[in-house]
Amino acid sequence: PAVSAPLGDFFGVGLGQMAPFQSALFSNPEGRSFNCVVPMPFRTGMKIVLTNESTTNLDELFYEVDYTLGDKHPASALYFHAHYRRENPTRMQRDYELLPRVEGRGRYLGVNIGVIVNRKTYFNTWWGEGEVKVYLDGDREFPTLSGTGAEDYVGSAWGQGQYAHLYQGSPVADEQNMRWCFYRYHIPDPVYFRRDVRVTIQQIGYLAEHSRGDITRNNRRLYRAGPGLVEMDTSKDGKFEREDDYSSCAYFYLDKPVNNLPPLDPVAKRVEGL
């Protein structure tokens, strides 16, 4: 399928959470519904399938699908795609792939991301300094687009609280349990590609005075952000490599109804620890 994702992750919030929010593409007005207004043009036909992979039967399921027929789509019209993945834990110095490489012509529409901090290793240290990188049309070592940190990518700064705007937001910002869900949609700032696209985010944290105590008391080794695993002096502030639990649902348009992405993970892997 062009769209392959768990229900909640597809509709804008991951980690098995419900949260009220509104964006330009998805909304959940009271924290108990799923709404999507993403255009999904088709030429000859379409089918939507919802599969219950839990161990509980649903007595009731309510839904509405609005569509039009007979539209004269131009030859250049693109197909909508969505791809979910999870990596727990991520690996040091290996960027997490929000969208593995996709070949073809299209548009990267955006992503929603879920992060569960590895508290056993990093306690309550900040996790969101990794750059979002967008590799376009043959980029390999260096991306065409590169950001300055997770909270910057979603329009915030200096940590990340709960908020929801049209194109960026963080419906879940649970500092007590160190869990975040956040999104960024490239609608007024489109990202087009002609040959291929790949989108990643680094796993980099920041050690500051207020979060240093647990690290030093427990003799945790941290490694400086950058090439080579160089041990960090934990008596000083600085950025360091991390391994946390990341999941994501990326959205894009492509010039064909199929993509080369791997199939959805088994349900046990998707819900483990949620």
Side-chain angles (χ1 to χ4, degrees):
V3 172
S4 183
L7 183 72
D9 298 83
F10 174 78
F11 281 93
V13 179
L15 304 184
Q17 305 260 198
M18 293 290 279
F21 78 100
Q22 179 182 7
S23 73
L25 301 181
F26 304 96
S27 66
N28 190 338
E30 298 181 82
R32 59 183 183 179
S33 60
F34 302 97
N35 300 286
C36 168
V37 293
V38 180
M40 305 181 191
F42 59 92
R43 289 178 173 84
T44 61
M46 54 85 75
K47 181 172 73 170
I48 299 173
V49 176
L50 175 61
T51 304
N52 179 9
E53 293 186 308
S54 75
T55 57
T56 303
N57 291 329
L58 295 181
D59 294 328
E60 298 176 314
L61 174 68
F62 301 90
Y63 62 92
E64 177 181 321
V65 179
D66 301 310
Y67 61 93
T68 60
L69 296 175
D71 302 275
K72 303 300 181 183
H73 296 304
S76 59
L78 304 172
Y79 292 94
F80 175 74
H81 293 249
H83 176 68
Y84 167 88
R85 64 186 308 271
R86 183 184 186 187
E87 194 172 320
N88 180 27
T90 57
R91 294 288 181 258
M92 289 188 189
Q93 300 184 323
R94 188 182 74 186
D95 297 353
Y96 173 80
E97 288 188 309
L98 298 170
L99 180 60
R101 188 173 302 281
V102 172
E103 298 176 352
R105 175 181 59 85
R107 172 181 177 176
Y108 170 59
L109 186 59
V111 65
N112 81 75
I113 304 170
V115 174
I116 302 176
V117 168
N118 178 357
R119 299 176 72 184
K120 290 182 179 180
T121 301
Y122 307 115
F123 301 98
N124 293 330
T125 56
W126 177 240
W127 52 271
E129 295 299 321
E131 298 175 1
V132 172
K133 306 173 184 177
V134 182
Y135 297 82
L136 301 173
D137 298 337
D139 289 345
R140 289 298 183 264
E141 184 178 0
F142 299 109
T144 296
L145 304 175
S146 183
T148 55
E151 75 271 64
D152 304 306
Y153 181 60
V154 294
S156 188
W158 300 101
Q160 193 170 297
Q162 185 176 9
Y163 64 101
H165 291 178
L166 285 177
Y167 313 119
Q168 65 270 330
S170 184
V172 175
D174 183 354
E175 292 192 31
Q176 180 176 354
N177 297 300
M178 298 298 282
R179 295 181 174 217
W180 276 262
C181 298
F182 50 101
Y183 61 86
R184 174 72 159 87
Y185 302 131
H186 295 270
I187 297 176
D189 56 335
V191 179
Y192 296 111
F193 55 93
R194 292 178 175 83
R195 292 168 47 194
D196 56 66
V197 64
R198 176 174 175 255
V199 185
T200 68
I201 184 171
Q202 295 171 304
Q203 283 67 71
I204 293 179
Y206 190 83
L207 186 66
E209 179 64 35
H210 68 273
S211 59
R212 182 175 294 118
D214 287 325
I215 296 294
T216 55
R217 279 192 296 270
N218 290 274
N219 295 317
R220 287 288 190 270
R221 289 186 176 183
L222 300 181
Y223 298 92
R224 263 189 346 215
L229 283 179
V230 179
E231 194 167 340
M232 177 181 175
D233 180 356
T234 55
S235 68
K236 301 177 181 178
D237 291 3
K239 296 179 181 178
F240 63 96
E241 300 281 347
R242 299 180 61 103
E243 295 178 331
D244 294 299
D245 180 350
Y246 272 65
S247 55
S248 58
C249 187
Y251 312 93
F252 61 100
Y253 285 95
L254 196 61
D255 58 356
K256 45 186 173 287
V258 294
N259 57 57
N260 57 297
L261 297 172
L264 199 61
D265 288 328
V267 64
K269 181 178 179 181
R270 303 198 308 264
V271 304
E272 182 182 7
L274 299 187

